[in-house]
Amino acid sequence: MINERGLLGVKGLGEIRITGGRPLKGTISIQGSKNAALPMMAAALLHKGVSVLRGCPCIADVFCMEEILRSLGAVTWWEGDNLYLDCSYADGTVISEENTGKMRSSMILLGVLLARNGKGTVGYPGGCVIGKRPVDQHLHVLKGLGSYIIKEEGFLEASCTGLKGSRICFEKRSVGATEQGILAAVTAEGKTTLLNCAREPEIVWLCRYLRRMGAEIKGEGKSCIEINGVKKLKAGDMKVPPDRIVAGTYICAAAATRGSIIIENPPEGELDAFLKVYRKMGGQYIRKSGKLIADGRGTAYPVPYLETEVYPGFPTDLQSPLMAVLTTVSGVSCIQETIFEDRFRAAEELKRMGARITVSGRQARIAGGFPLHGCRVAAGELRGGAALIIAALAAQGESIVEGSTFICRGYQNICEDLAALGGQIKKDTGTAFYENIEIQKKIKHYRQT
């Protein structure tokens, strides 16, 4: 019962055509959160039955995780935008290097495999090429809970005779490692205390989902999380929260085009650091009747200095979209990237459009206010691709953004959403994809089954 949309989303090639110069205006709803949905999907493996994620985003990363769970024996299906995960017989223990190489979030499955089966083998994780993302802290927390890990070329092999609660302190805050520890500890014997935890909203939502499954957790959203292990979890059933990064991206698009948009379902309290910077640039916003009205018509001021930080600081995932906005603002702005050392990859492509950006190490200097012009650019990773779309919407003439598959990893309907707001944008998947005979055979097979 594989979903055909997943096959299309993961395999599709193509480019996005954009004609800039129109201020965005209108009302939009935000898709479910990618970063919340993926660990929830991993949590479903902890119950031998059917769990559901309501309002799950139909994006490439979700389809990739779905494919991995199916490779372990899970049965998955979609009813609208609700994703059902039947993990009754998902007793596989090996996740191939091919699968884990597509998406870094797959690493959090190692702790789940240990909790469920006492062993697990995973290939080294992949994802966007934005710098070093070591797995040492993942291994640190799993070893602390009683697992034995062997590092081989290209994969990790872990085993245990039963995970046991422990007191573990992370060397630095890591979202993935914190999620790893939580997922492994909820069914471990005894009490686990995790110190120096990441505080991102995705961790809060994971803990809420696990509590609905019967886990005993307290302290999420704080640096110390305490977990009392339980012997068995029940089915999970929860609505995926709106994606704060998508919401921030659309606000950036409105600001870059000097438009005004209304977000019907804004993430509550999760965008405060971003909105503080947005207001400093001249953007205005109000919350009214559960909606967020973002008016970017007054965007006119540079940001002299900004550092990306772990939550609740300014999110690294919105650094590239913000850079695109700053290219349209007169004056000099400076961004210091503290999370990933190679997250200015979009800068070179923005320069092709006329942006004046100088990158030195982890710092980017943006001399804004010079007209952007449409041209052909290439997305090299997810958020950088979104930044190119934002710049293209603000540029004069037509732009073509190649590498739309990177963008589809995190944005469900970015072209349709921005078009609904008045943007001249459309996606061209290209004929090469549809002419691929092997892919067509697979689509036909899954339609029949």
Side-chain angles (χ1 to χ4, degrees):
M1 299 174 71
I2 194 168
N3 105 72
E4 181 182 320
R5 293 173 299 171
L7 190 62
L8 291 169
V10 173
K11 299 293 185 182
L13 303 175
E15 55 194 29
I16 298 172
R17 292 179 178 268
I18 303 160
T19 301
R22 286 190 176 185
L24 298 186
K25 185 178 181 181
T27 301
I28 197 77
S29 291
I30 303 300
Q31 69 186 61
S33 168
K34 172 180 90 79
N35 291 336
L38 295 176
M40 288 180 184
M41 292 175 71
L45 270 178
L46 294 170
H47 169 65
K48 294 189 176 183
V50 181
S51 294
V52 59
L53 277 67
R54 304 189 184 277
C56 190
C58 300
I59 55 176
D61 271 13
V62 166
F63 301 140
C64 184
M65 180 67 87
E66 185 183 2
E67 182 180 344
I68 291 172
L69 295 180
R70 289 176 62 86
S71 75
L72 296 172
V75 176
T76 71
W77 68 95
W78 293 77
E79 294 182 8
D81 61 359
N82 299 329
L83 174 59
Y84 289 80
L85 304 155
D86 184 352
C87 298
S88 300
Y89 304 103
D91 296 322
T93 61
V94 178
I95 302 174
S96 70
E97 186 178 1
E98 178 184 0
N99 276 330
T100 56
K102 297 174 185 176
M103 183 181 61
R104 181 171 180 79
S105 298
S106 58
M107 182 65 191
I108 61 175
L109 288 167
L110 186 57
V112 176
L113 294 177
L114 286 167
R116 178 170 175 136
N117 304 311
K119 61 180 180 179
T121 301
V122 300
Y124 277 98
C128 283
V129 184
I130 53 177
K132 297 177 182 177
R133 301 169 113 184
V135 298
D136 293 359
Q137 293 209 86
H138 289 260
L139 306 186
H140 169 66
V141 70
L142 293 178
K143 288 177 181 178
L145 292 170
S147 65
Y148 178 71
I149 298 173
I150 300 174
K151 296 182 182 181
E152 297 288 352
E153 185 175 353
F155 66 91
L156 298 165
E157 188 174 296
S159 61
C160 67
T161 56
L163 296 174
K164 293 179 172 57
S166 181
R167 183 180 179 87
I168 300 167
C169 182
F170 295 107
E171 181 180 343
K172 63 179 182 179
R173 291 182 184 176
S174 163
V175 174
T178 300
E179 292 170 344
Q180 184 84 266
I182 293 168
L183 288 165
V186 288
T187 56
E189 180 183 339
K191 180 179 178 179
T192 296
T193 301
L194 301 176
L195 302 169
N196 198 29
C197 295
R199 299 164 57 190
E200 270 70 5
E202 298 79 47
I203 291 170
V204 175
W205 289 107
L206 172 61
C207 290
R208 290 177 181 174
Y209 189 68
L210 285 166
R211 264 205 296 271
R212 291 197 178 190
M213 297 175 71
E216 296 182 9
I217 308 171
K218 63 180 181 179
E220 69 273 15
K222 301 178 181 179
S223 60
C224 177
I225 297 177
E226 295 180 344
I227 302 165
N228 288 316
V230 297
K231 291 185 178 180
K232 189 177 181 180
L233 294 177
K234 58 185 179 182
D237 187 336
M238 195 169 81
K239 184 175 178 61
V240 179
D243 194 305
R244 63 191 174 101
I245 304 303
V246 172
T249 299
Y250 291 170
I251 294 172
C252 282
T257 61
R258 306 303 187 263
S260 178
I261 63 172
I262 299 172
I263 297 177
E264 290 188 318
N265 59 333
E268 189 64 35
E270 297 179 5
L271 279 173
D272 290 352
F274 166 77
L275 289 173
K276 184 177 180 180
V277 175
Y278 172 70
R279 178 163 281 174
K280 286 182 178 179
M281 293 190 299
Q284 299 295 315
Y285 69 91
I286 60 171
R287 295 183 175 92
K288 185 177 181 180
S289 302
K291 300 179 181 180
L292 178 66
I293 303 171
D295 186 347
R297 290 175 293 179
T299 304
Y301 304 102
V303 178
Y305 184 78
L306 172 69
E307 284 190 2
T308 59
E309 300 177 85
V310 295
Y311 191 85
F314 190 91
T316 181
D317 281 350
L318 286 175
Q319 177 257 101
S320 293
L322 181 73
M323 180 185 290
V325 180
L326 293 174
T327 65
T328 72
V329 175
S330 295
V332 177
S333 299
C334 182
I335 299 176
Q336 183 77 27
E337 173 59 53
T338 69
I339 309 300
F340 299 117
E341 73 277 7
D342 194 21
R343 198 150 208 179
F344 292 130
R345 291 168 63 88
E348 287 301 315
E349 297 301 301
L350 290 171
K351 287 163 68 174
R352 290 168 56 83
M353 302 178 74
R356 301 192 180 186
I357 304 171
T358 303
V359 176
S360 178
R362 292 194 176 199
Q363 188 172 100
R365 182 181 181 273
I366 304 105
F370 297 93
L372 299 179
H373 54 80
C375 67
R376 181 177 287 270
V377 291
E381 42 91 13
L382 170 57
R383 307 305 175 186
L388 296 179
I389 289 178
I390 292 169
L393 288 167
Q396 300 172 358
E398 184 181 73
S399 298
I400 298 175
V401 180
E402 299 175 349
S404 62
T405 49
F406 286 106
I407 301 167
C408 290
R409 285 190 51 225
Y411 296 89
Q412 178 173 320
N413 292 312
I414 191 167
C415 294
E416 294 85 346
D417 287 347
L418 293 173
L421 295 172
Q424 291 185 284
I425 177 173
K426 64 179 181 178
K427 184 178 179 181
D428 178 10
T429 54
T431 57
F433 166 69
Y434 294 105
E435 291 171 354
N436 186 308
I437 296 175
E438 291 304 312
I439 295 296
Q440 287 219 11
K441 286 181 180 178
K442 289 182 180 180
I443 291 176
K444 182 177 180 180
H445 169 71
Y446 291 129
R447 280 175 175 167
Q448 292 173 342
T449 59

